[in-house]
Amino acid sequence: KLIDTNGVKGNRNIVEGKSMPNYIVDIFYTDGGKNRKYQPLWFRTYRYIEINVNTGDEALTINDIYGFFTAYPFKEKAVFKSSNTELRDIWDTGWRTARLCAGETYYDCPYYEQLQYVGDTRIQALISLYVTGDDRLMRKAIDQFHNSQLPDGLTQSRFPSVEPQVIPPFSLIWVEMIHDYWMLRDDNKFVKKYVNGIDNVLHWYEQHIDETGMLGPMDWWNFVDWSFGSWNNDRPLGGTPTGAIDGNSSIITLKYAHTLQLASEMFDNLGYKNKAEDYKNRAKSLIKSTYKYCWDKNNGLLADTPDKKTFSQHANIVGILTGSFNKEENEKILRKILEDKEITETTFYYKFYLVEAIRKAGLSKDYFDILNDWKEMIDIGLTTFAETPEPTRSDCHAWSASPNYHFLSYVCGIIPASPGFKTVIIEPHLGELNYIEVIMPHYK
């Protein structure tokens, strides 16, 4: 990356007056011979390269410098064209982002961690299936996260990794990811391999329900979105909402309830009727308790915790996704969280779930307003999508490529109507678009 004298990246197309911090440096000592070749032992992701040469008694001649592109061999089979050319720019930038974040596994970013995180991977997998039809990395990821499970039932948040890390909400997202696969592929044999693993995750959460009927205090790093919290030497607070550690977080309680609903639907279809009914009833109880303690009549919103001191888009997004409100309430709540700038807003990652809530509420026009965040990234010279709004750390982060999935699944409205994608719903949400031209691969 390039930064100015204040440490700010600014417009990525402007290089004058900027310098490059020494994050990744390769040092090559020449031996005086001719036609020597150097390449790093692992791939490098870059936009700018700086070469510093210190010579001894003889001059050094650099004959050539070049790079080879490397990534998982996805083939872009989907096509999305519309009357709005800006959407094409978003599509191309998002696809470049997704491609750069996949190799022998998915990974969150090609520059920093290069690790397969569950939260990123769910979004990446949906993009893969919708844009390429290739499900191999998704199947591999589901299996790897299953292999990462700890004795208490939770998956690790990223895997494979030499350093264990646990983000309990990511274990819920792993279950959602299996549900995605179940809906998009006719492969119950594969899904059934993870029934016990799913139950182990959901049981860990069940043990943390307290006397309020919501989730009580929880261990580990309960990351939800970078909108929340900052790092602390004693407690893992980065991206962690109020109540996640001390108890009674409406966001995580309802995330658990929503995962129970998806698991219930899946288990019922697979023949595990008793377990499906148990999940369904537990979800109803959690939703009822959360509404009882966290609904604020004055604001017309769900609060983040029963003390009703903080409010977020996130709590109300999962409220909508769990069916905590009726259709009329969905519209009012969604309108309020989109307009109220006093509450905690989603960053790029959780906007994926904001769009899913918009889908459920049926407010199609608002989706195109959300895309202004992606247009702004292109306006400041980004050629891939960033991890967070400015000032961002990672300039290429897979979870921010979600428009490539939503252009097909929401704008074009192509979603499975039944498990295994055996039947299809096509319900476009065109907003102000005059036309769309679309191709999407289907495994049949």
Side-chain angles (χ1 to χ4, degrees):
K1 68 179 183 180
L2 294 179
I3 57 174
D4 63 19
T5 54
N6 295 316
V8 176
K9 294 180 183 179
N11 190 304
R12 308 312 195 261
N13 292 327
I14 299 174
V15 299
E16 292 80 9
K18 293 182 179 178
S19 61
M20 186 180 294
N22 292 331
Y23 282 134
I24 295 181
V25 177
D26 294 311
I27 301 175
F28 183 38
Y29 295 97
T30 62
D31 64 357
K34 295 182 178 181
N35 298 318
R36 296 298 190 252
K37 177 182 177 181
Y38 169 77
Q39 66 181 46
L41 297 175
W42 187 243
F43 71 81
R44 299 284 185 248
T45 293
Y46 56 90
R47 179 162 175 182
Y48 317 98
I49 295 176
E50 182 177 68
I51 301 174
N52 294 305
V53 179
N54 293 314
T55 60
D57 296 334
E58 300 179 38
L60 174 72
T61 300
I62 299 176
N63 294 309
D64 201 355
I65 181 169
Y66 52 88
F68 292 103
F69 179 81
T70 181
Y72 180 85
F74 279 128
K75 295 181 180 179
E76 185 183 5
K77 295 180 179 179
V79 172
F80 178 83
K81 299 178 182 178
S82 75
S83 52
N84 185 340
T85 57
E86 289 182 304
L87 300 189
R88 182 68 204 187
D89 294 336
I90 293 174
W91 174 274
D92 290 341
T93 306
W95 178 236
R96 186 179 303 113
T97 304
R99 284 205 72 196
L100 289 172
C101 294
E104 52 198 21
T105 66
Y106 291 113
Y107 31 84
D108 60 328
C109 55
Y111 186 83
Y112 288 96
E113 290 95 329
Q114 300 179 8
L115 286 170
Q116 182 172 248
Y117 284 84
V118 185
D120 307 69
T121 299
R122 183 193 178 197
I123 296 170
Q124 290 169 281
L126 287 169
I127 295 169
S128 299
L129 265 63
Y130 266 73
V131 177
T132 76
D134 188 336
D135 61 24
R136 288 175 292 181
L137 277 191
M138 183 181 193
R139 291 164 57 87
K140 184 178 182 180
I142 289 171
D143 198 56
Q144 286 175 323
F145 290 128
H146 180 253
N147 293 339
S148 81
Q149 278 191 304
L150 300 170
D152 66 2
L154 292 175
T155 65
Q156 294 179 45
S157 63
R158 58 194 188 191
F159 200 80
S161 173
V162 296
E163 182 179 349
Q165 183 194 72
V166 178
I167 300 176
F170 277 16
S171 295
L172 296 176
I173 294 172
W174 174 67
V175 178
E176 293 181 325
M177 187 176 167
I178 298 172
H179 183 275
D180 294 337
Y181 183 84
W182 173 68
M183 289 297 293
L184 292 166
R185 287 292 184 270
D186 184 15
D187 192 358
N188 285 350
K189 182 179 179 181
F190 177 79
V191 172
K192 282 184 175 182
K193 291 196 299 183
Y194 308 105
V195 164
N196 288 337
I198 290 169
D199 192 52
N200 289 338
V201 169
L202 299 177
H203 179 64
W204 183 89
Y205 272 95
E206 183 183 12
Q207 293 175 303
H208 288 77
I209 299 173
D210 69 8
E211 65 278 359
T212 67
M214 298 176 64
L215 291 173
M218 286 176 290
D219 299 322
W220 307 105
W221 178 27
N222 286 278
F223 172 86
V224 167
D225 189 10
W226 285 122
S227 316
F228 300 102
S230 57
W231 289 107
N232 182 290
N233 291 331
D234 301 319
R235 311 175 87 185
L237 296 177
T240 302
T242 307
I245 294 176
D246 298 326
N248 303 139
S249 163
S250 64
I251 300 170
I252 300 182
T253 300
L254 290 180
K255 183 69 172 176
Y256 174 40
H258 186 235
T259 308
L260 284 165
Q261 291 172 331
L262 298 179
S264 175
E265 178 188 10
M266 189 163 50
F267 275 43
D268 183 69
N269 179 272
L270 295 174
Y272 305 101
K273 303 293 184 181
N274 292 338
K275 188 65 71 173
E277 189 67 18
D278 176 39
Y279 291 164
K280 183 178 178 181
N281 291 333
R282 200 185 314 163
K284 286 180 179 178
S285 177
L286 290 161
I287 293 166
K288 183 178 179 180
S289 296
T290 304
Y291 190 90
K292 174 183 176 181
Y293 287 105
C294 296
W295 178 253
D296 186 88
K297 292 181 180 179
N298 295 327
N299 282 320
L301 293 173
L302 271 180
D304 293 340
T305 56
D307 65 14
K308 301 175 184 177
K309 292 181 179 179
T310 60
F311 295 83
S312 65
Q313 289 184 339
H314 308 71
N316 293 278
I317 287 167
V318 284
I320 291 171
L321 293 178
T322 52
S324 298
F325 323 113
N326 61 40
K327 186 177 186 302
E328 183 180 331
E329 288 174 323
N330 280 347
E331 294 182 10
K332 288 181 180 178
I333 291 167
L334 196 51
R335 181 73 56 221
K336 187 171 179 61
I337 66 172
L338 289 172
E339 296 173 356
D340 189 347
K341 301 303 179 184
E342 298 300 314
I343 67 174
T344 303
E345 295 185 44
T346 55
T347 64
F348 301 143
Y349 163 54
Y350 217 85
K351 277 183 169 42
F352 171 86
Y353 297 97
L354 174 59
V355 176
E356 293 302 298
I358 288 174
R359 182 203 301 275
K360 187 153 188 173
L363 300 181
S364 61
K365 176 183 178 298
D366 296 284
Y367 174 65
F368 294 93
D369 293 335
I370 289 171
L371 290 176
N372 289 332
D373 293 318
W374 277 266
K375 294 175 185 176
E376 289 173 6
M377 283 191 272
I378 293 173
D379 288 343
I380 61 170
L382 282 163
T383 57
T384 51
F385 289 133
E387 178 180 9
T388 62
E390 293 285 276
T392 187
R393 180 193 66 135
S394 168
D395 276 6
C396 181
H397 223 78
W399 66 28
S400 295
S402 59
N404 288 65
Y405 166 68
H406 282 131
F407 281 6
L408 298 172
S409 70
Y410 185 66
V411 177
C412 303
I414 304 169
I415 58 173
S418 57
F421 219 163
K422 295 175 183 177
T423 54
V424 182
I425 292 174
I426 302 178
E427 185 183 8
H429 301 88
L430 300 185
E432 297 179 358
L433 297 179
N434 297 321
Y435 78 90
I436 52 175
E437 179 184 334
V438 184
I439 297 172
M440 181 197 151
H442 188 285
Y443 71 92
K444 287 183 178 286

